[in-house]
Amino acid sequence: MLLVAGEIICTLIILLEKGIKRKLFKKIVLFIEALVLSVLVLTSCLYMFLLFYLNERQELFEEQISSSRCKVEYVVILGSQLKHGKMDNHLVDRLDYFCKLEKNHELEGKYIILSGGATEDGCSITESQLMAEYLIEEGIKPEKILSESKSTTTYENIQNVSEYCKDNKSVIISSEYHLPRIWLITKKFNLNDCVLLGTERKKRGNSYHYFEEIFGIIAYFLNIR
């Protein structure tokens, strides 16, 4: 009888422990879900705020240079991952935007830094190499072009050009969706005199890149580069 009672008590204890564990596990899962959702919402709000802020600054800058040419020490154009050894539309748009400003006598850089390494698997061609070839074909003088071909991430792009831009007035050109993360990284390297200019502001057809950048910002804060 005692043995039976002992077995019943042990069974009840085991069931009680399992119930507690299940409840605790559910609470932990709910907490993690709420935490992830909160991070996504807050990061999205930060991203949209910075996107709006940087767009406003760009519009003011473009108004100024439309009437008075802006001369800077460095114009930095950030690369974008190559596809089958060729530049994608985003990268071509960045180069075309710079060429338009240059040819309209709105922006003049003493040097043009093209930042981008070999980012495509199995391909030794660098982004900066193709960018330089494109700009030379568009009439940009080769002696003005500086190639930074070691970067494979946005963080490395800014890190590797920071030594040039830190104490000089500079302009960084990339796609609009890219600007908020670039702005955060430039602050880390104290590039306070850099003007950020984004391309494709009128298109915004592919929302994928905007969502991708939100996760990119989260990765930046988590120090995942």
Side-chain angles (χ1 to χ4, degrees):
M1 191 74 175
L2 289 173
L3 288 174
V4 174
E7 287 179 1
I8 291 172
I9 291 170
C10 287
T11 303
L12 288 172
I13 291 171
I14 292 169
L15 290 173
L16 184 62
E17 285 180 348
K18 285 183 178 180
I20 292 171
K21 287 179 180 178
R22 285 175 184 170
K23 287 180 181 179
L24 183 60
F25 178 74
K26 286 181 180 179
K27 286 182 179 179
I28 292 171
V29 169
L30 288 172
F31 173 77
I32 292 172
E33 287 177 349
L35 181 62
V36 170
L37 183 61
S38 299
V39 169
L40 283 173
V41 170
L42 289 172
T43 309
S44 299
C45 290
L46 173 63
Y47 178 76
M48 294 307 296
F49 170 78
L50 288 176
L51 201 60
F52 175 79
Y53 166 72
L54 293 169
N55 262 299
E56 290 294 308
R57 288 190 60 180
Q58 179 165 342
E59 287 180 6
L60 288 172
F61 180 78
E62 288 178 337
E63 284 180 13
Q64 291 172 1
I65 63 176
S66 64
S67 57
S68 177
R69 187 172 197 175
C70 177
K71 294 184 179 182
V72 297
E73 192 73 12
Y74 297 102
V75 174
V76 179
I77 306 176
L78 300 191
S80 178
Q81 186 170 16
L82 303 180
K83 295 180 180 178
H84 308 295
K86 296 181 180 180
M87 297 188 296
D88 64 10
N89 293 333
H90 302 291
L91 185 47
V92 173
D93 281 339
R94 297 172 194 179
L95 297 170
D96 286 342
Y97 178 71
F98 165 71
C99 290
K100 178 178 76 72
L101 295 178
E102 173 84 10
K103 290 174 181 177
N104 289 344
H105 305 289
E106 295 176 331
L107 177 65
E108 179 183 349
K110 186 176 181 180
Y111 297 104
I112 317 303
I113 303 177
L114 307 176
S115 179
T119 54
E120 185 178 21
D121 292 337
C123 182
S124 60
I125 300 173
T126 64
E127 296 165 9
S128 59
Q129 179 183 339
L130 293 185
M131 292 160 72
E133 292 173 1
Y134 187 92
L135 289 183
I136 291 169
E137 287 180 3
E138 291 294 316
I140 304 300
K141 295 177 181 179
E143 56 268 25
K144 293 180 64 174
I145 296 175
L146 302 176
S147 291
E148 185 288 295
S149 57
K150 295 181 180 179
S151 302
T152 57
T153 65
T154 301
Y155 186 91
E156 289 176 358
N157 285 140
I158 304 304
Q159 184 180 41
N160 292 339
V161 303
S162 62
E163 59 183 282
Y164 298 98
C165 303
K166 195 166 188 177
D167 299 316
N168 297 289
K169 187 175 181 182
S170 307
V171 167
I172 297 177
I173 297 175
S174 189
S175 301
E176 181 201 49
Y177 61 79
H178 207 187
L179 296 187
R181 184 153 57 106
I182 294 171
W183 184 86
L184 290 169
I185 300 171
T186 58
K187 295 306 171 187
K188 179 170 183 176
F189 290 99
N190 298 315
L191 304 182
N192 299 315
D193 290 330
C194 278
V195 176
L196 305 186
L197 301 179
T199 63
E200 306 170 286
R201 291 188 300 152
K202 305 297 181 184
K203 299 177 183 179
R204 298 183 184 174
N206 192 348
S207 59
Y208 162 76
H209 293 287
Y210 292 87
F211 287 113
E212 185 180 48
E213 281 301 307
I214 291 171
F215 290 100
I217 290 174
I218 293 172
Y220 168 72
F221 283 128
L222 293 175
N223 205 28
I224 302 171
R225 299 167 188 171

